[in-house]
Amino acid sequence: MLLLSISVPFMQPNKNAWGILIYVLIKAYLSILCMVLFLASTKFNALLKAMEKLKCPKLILLTLSFMYRYIFVVEDEMMKMRQAKEARSVGGSSWFHFRALSNMVGVLFIRAYDRAEYIYLAMRARGFDGQIQTLNDLKLTRKDLIFFVFILLLLASIRIIVK
């Protein structure tokens, strides 16, 4: 995004290049702001259900769902392994620490693979069918429409101001 913003003045030398640059930067900032607000105010399960309704591929949704659920488990496992390494090895060369870290990554991979097998078998035993389950169905509300109109008006006003 930064490279695009820097290159904008050189793309169209006969137009108001600085105005276009400001427009691109403001638009990028507002897009990131909207994305952060959206992700901060939406539960992850609801986000996945919305992506499912928008016909996002099922494999991507399942991967995101499992990654979100189990990244904390893997992180906790890594923290335990790091704490055990720190307790066993005080000092030493940087090569020793690198070798220990690479061994930890290998062991973590094997543990994660084993845990994934157990989780898969448990999910199959409980009848998991690959659908993302939520308690309530998603519907377009008045708040959603007001937010959408507000963002459109904000972007249109920026477009008018920059021109």
Side-chain angles (χ1 to χ4, degrees):
M1 180 170 49
L2 181 63
L3 291 175
L4 177 67
S5 301
I6 292 171
S7 66
V8 166
F10 303 108
M11 290 175 160
Q12 300 176 353
N14 57 353
K15 292 188 177 181
N16 183 5
W18 292 110
I20 294 172
L21 175 64
I22 291 170
Y23 176 71
V24 168
L25 288 174
I26 291 173
K27 192 174 178 182
Y29 175 75
L30 287 176
S31 297
I32 291 171
L33 181 66
C34 288
M35 188 172 50
V36 167
L37 285 173
F38 175 70
L39 291 175
S41 64
T42 306
K43 292 182 181 176
F44 193 74
N45 288 338
L47 179 65
L48 290 177
K49 191 69 170 179
M51 289 172 67
E52 182 181 51
K53 285 197 172 210
L54 292 172
K55 307 292 187 224
C56 189
K58 192 175 192 177
L59 183 62
I60 292 174
L61 293 176
L62 287 175
T63 303
L64 285 173
S65 173
F66 292 136
M67 185 176 63
Y68 180 74
R69 287 181 186 153
Y70 297 109
I71 193 76
F72 304 111
V73 175
V74 173
E75 180 190 17
D76 185 49
E77 195 76 30
M78 184 66 180
M79 295 301 282
K80 287 178 186 175
M81 291 171 64
R82 188 179 68 87
Q83 186 177 13
K85 178 202 152 294
E86 293 295 325
R88 290 186 184 113
S89 62
V90 178
S93 67
S94 60
W95 174 251
F96 172 75
H97 289 294
F98 179 73
R99 206 174 91 197
L101 181 65
S102 62
N103 287 337
M104 283 173 39
V105 169
V107 170
L108 184 66
F109 178 74
I110 292 170
R111 284 185 184 178
Y113 185 79
D114 275 347
R115 186 171 296 220
E117 279 294 315
Y118 289 128
I119 290 170
Y120 172 74
L121 292 174
M123 289 173 66
R124 294 297 293 174
R126 290 179 178 93
F128 180 71
D129 61 351
Q131 297 295 325
I132 297 170
Q133 305 294 328
T134 56
L135 293 176
N136 52 1
D137 198 20
L138 301 177
K139 300 230 186 290
L140 191 63
T141 63
R142 179 180 288 167
K143 290 179 185 178
D144 299 326
L145 292 174
I146 290 171
F147 180 75
F148 181 69
V149 169
F150 173 74
I151 293 300
L152 283 179
L153 289 174
L154 187 62
L155 289 175
S157 64
I158 291 171
R159 177 78 172 184
I160 290 170
I161 290 172
V162 170
K163 278 190 172 188

